[in-house]
Amino acid sequence: MYEMCVGPEGPGEALVWHVMAKQATATLCGQQLAERIEASGAEGAGHCPLCMASFAKLMTAARR
């Protein structure tokens, strides 16, 4: 299972939605999110392109 979580795209950058496996310590793009940010603080945030690309690969591989 995966979940969406909010965090900066990079150090000091804008907030984006990352993808993280339920029991993982890092997002699919490899970031360690130090703190949970309330979703209301990122309502208009985009999605992390690296996380989304990794997630798409995982879903494609799962269909095979």
Side-chain angles (χ1 to χ4, degrees):
M1 288 295 232
Y2 296 91
E3 62 183 344
M4 299 297 291
C5 49
V6 179
E9 189 165 4
E13 294 183 11
L15 295 177
V16 294
W17 288 96
H18 291 279
V19 180
M20 181 182 283
K22 284 280 187 180
Q23 300 301 318
T25 59
T27 64
L28 294 184
C29 69
Q31 280 202 47
Q32 300 282 332
L33 300 180
E35 62 183 84
R36 290 274 185 188
I37 297 173
E38 291 297 318
S40 62
E43 289 173 348
H47 293 88
C48 172
L50 296 174
C51 281
M52 296 312 290
S54 294
F55 187 69
K57 286 180 185 176
L58 288 167
M59 295 298 103
T60 300
R63 283 189 240 153
R64 294 181 185 172

